[in-house]
Amino acid sequence: MIRRTEGQPAPLLSIQDLVTTIATDYGIVRAVNHISFDLQPGRTLGIVGESGSGKSILAKSILNLLPKNADISRNSGIWFDGLELNKMSPKAINGVRGQRIAIIFQDPMSSLNPVMTIGNQIAESLIRHLGMRKKRARNRSVELLKSAGISNPGQRIRQYPHQLSGGMRQRVAMAIALACEPDLLIADEPTTALDVTVQAEILDLLAQRQTQKNMAMILITHDLGVAAGRADDIIVIYAGRIVEQAPADQLFSFMRMPYTQALMNSIPRLENRPHTRLNSIQGRSPDLTNLPRGCSFAPRCPQAQQRCTRQTPPLSSDDRQDHLFACWYPVRGRN
Ligand SMILES: Nc1ncnc2c1ncn2[C@@H]1O[C@H](COP(=O)(O)OP(=O)(O)O)[C@@H](O)[C@H]1O
Ligand code: SF4
Ligand SMILES: [Mg+2]
């Protein structure tokens, strides 16, 4: 199901009924289960959900970075600026990745080459994608590191990833991702491993670059607090499905899903003393090889009633067309 507001321009990215499964020894994992959404140029979409809910598999589906045992269903559509990404050859998609769509991961080491200086890594991307000459690429690398908030970039370009702190490495990964001025950046938990101050600095830098270049961003996080104030729209995912979707201000002031509310209550709070136990969501996330009948959240939901275990609630709206939720007994507000 696609919701498109009339009069809106064509989306930059359109995901249509995406289903991604993974074949494992213990069964078929339904990691992404009928997900659809549109993203307009320059906008930020927050994708929020607990660990294991399918966020990374969704991101990897877009860029054909899936593990070998994963499969995108034939009826799925992944459209980017007129290109149907999931029908393109690996070679053609390589041309899009890194140039028009870039991705950064939680662990920057997964995208950095440990045996290549960071200067050469950035320059390589500029030479490959933009056809820059070596000298020009090297100068540009220094500028890019500087704009990623790295001090002494002239010296840093000669260093290897292991010589940098986690926060520095993520800045380098970001500089590489932004080198070709992509139209879309997918940031998959980019700051999860970093402390709060570095996290805010990196997210601020991304926001700054976004405004300068009108870049769209998908900001993936398990922490609803990270998406707050940074995303224009938010999609909440549970067990591979969208369970709530709304403009961010609407979602935060008037959330409808008990699951979103539980995510909200599990945000770490600054006023809490260090090492305070988080209010994590009770119960275990469902087995994606064998989803229960009805609402997948029912075994953990404080609002659950009989109907919830019998019928799957559809993703639909009531008084606001742009606020979708999949719940038989929605809540009103934060609680
Ligand atoms: N390579 C893999 N092989 C088997 N199962 C996987 C693999 N990668 C992810 N999964 C499963 O797919 C589901 C979604 O994973 P993922 O997208 O990584 O979650 P998230 O990013 O939200 O934490 C999980 O149940 C996970 O165990
Ligand atoms: S449908 Fe029922 S179980 Fe599912 S979130 Fe809503 S109230 Fe809870
Ligand atoms: Mg993930």
Side-chain angles (χ1 to χ4, degrees):
M1 176 181 49
I2 315 277
R3 298 282 171 136
R4 201 163 289 164
T5 312
E6 274 193 29
Q8 264 193 347
L12 177 69
L13 177 74
S14 183
I15 304 292
Q16 301 173 3
D17 204 24
L18 177 63
V19 174
T20 308
T21 50
I22 306 175
T24 67
D25 292 345
Y26 43 91
I28 303 282
V29 173
R30 299 193 172 281
V32 179
N33 210 340
H34 298 283
I35 282 189
S36 300
F37 62 85
D38 284 351
L39 177 61
Q40 301 296 330
R43 304 272 293 179
T44 299
L45 172 69
I47 296 187
V48 188
E50 282 179 297
S51 169
S53 56
K55 306 181 297 296
S56 294
I57 295 295
L58 167 60
K60 289 175 179 170
S61 301
I62 298 174
L63 281 172
N64 193 19
L65 291 170
L66 289 168
K68 284 211 173 59
N69 50 343
D71 188 49
I72 296 180
S73 97
R74 290 170 59 118
N75 295 332
S76 308
I78 303 176
W79 289 89
F80 174 76
D81 199 18
L83 302 169
E84 193 172 15
L85 298 183
N86 53 323
K87 303 280 157 68
M88 283 165 70
S89 69
K91 194 170 169 224
I93 209 164
N94 265 340
V96 176
R97 193 193 313 132
Q99 186 169 9
R100 300 205 56 204
I101 308 179
I103 185 161
I104 47 180
F105 297 102
Q106 174 176 341
D107 173 15
M109 279 313 251
S110 63
S111 53
L112 295 176
N113 182 340
V115 295
M116 200 174 184
T117 64
I118 59 172
N120 282 345
Q121 294 189 53
I122 305 179
E124 190 193 53
S125 174
L126 294 167
I127 293 165
R128 179 154 45 104
H129 292 298
L130 301 182
M132 258 185 209
R133 297 282 182 118
K134 219 170 163 182
K135 184 147 185 261
R136 165 107 183 80
R138 202 145 181 90
N139 293 338
R140 182 80 185 118
S141 306
V142 175
E143 285 168 22
L144 285 164
L145 284 180
K146 195 168 169 211
S147 59
I150 293 188
S151 54
N152 300 326
Q155 274 101 58
R156 292 278 184 199
I157 54 167
R158 284 188 278 276
Q159 291 189 315
Y160 291 88
H162 73 266
Q163 295 174 289
L164 308 175
S165 68
M168 284 283 189
R169 276 187 217 140
Q170 195 56 289
R171 286 175 199 268
V172 173
M174 193 174 90
I176 294 175
L178 299 177
C180 300
E181 304 193 352
D183 300 306
L184 169 63
L185 175 71
I186 302 175
D188 186 0
E189 311 244 15
T191 57
T192 299
L194 308 174
D195 73 55
V196 183
T197 324
V198 182
Q199 171 172 308
E201 280 169 14
I202 287 185
L203 292 171
D204 286 348
L205 267 167
L206 283 177
Q208 214 181 58
R209 281 293 298 252
Q210 227 188 329
T211 330
Q212 285 163 356
K213 306 287 176 190
N214 195 38
M215 176 179 80
M217 177 155 78
I218 297 180
L219 177 60
I220 297 175
T221 172
H222 67 275
D223 180 351
L224 199 51
V226 166
R230 301 197 181 268
D232 299 303
D233 300 285
I234 292 185
I235 283 177
V236 180
I237 292 191
Y238 188 75
R241 290 196 179 111
I242 296 182
V243 293
E244 186 155 18
Q245 176 173 4
D249 49 358
Q250 163 72 9
L251 186 103
F252 282 107
S253 57
F254 202 56
M255 53 188 58
R256 310 303 307 272
M257 276 296 291
Y259 173 61
T260 312
Q261 209 171 46
L263 280 177
M264 189 74 196
N265 292 336
S266 67
I267 295 178
R269 304 203 186 273
L270 276 179
E271 65 266 24
N272 285 352
R273 277 197 274 138
H275 312 300
T276 310
R277 271 199 63 191
L278 276 184
N279 219 342
S280 65
I281 304 176
Q282 298 277 314
R284 283 211 281 153
S285 43
D287 174 3
L288 296 182
T289 61
N290 185 19
L291 282 175
R293 211 155 67 115
C295 173
S296 318
F297 191 54
R300 306 165 75 186
C301 179
Q303 314 276 120
Q305 299 187 36
Q306 230 174 31
R307 185 184 189 183
C308 305
T309 52
R310 294 189 177 152
Q311 290 174 295
T312 308
L315 186 65
S316 54
S317 58
D318 56 13
D319 38 357
R320 272 188 66 142
Q321 229 210 335
D322 60 353
H323 191 161
L324 306 177
F325 50 90
C327 181
W328 295 124
Y329 306 103
V331 292
R332 293 193 166 265
R334 278 188 187 189
N335 80 3

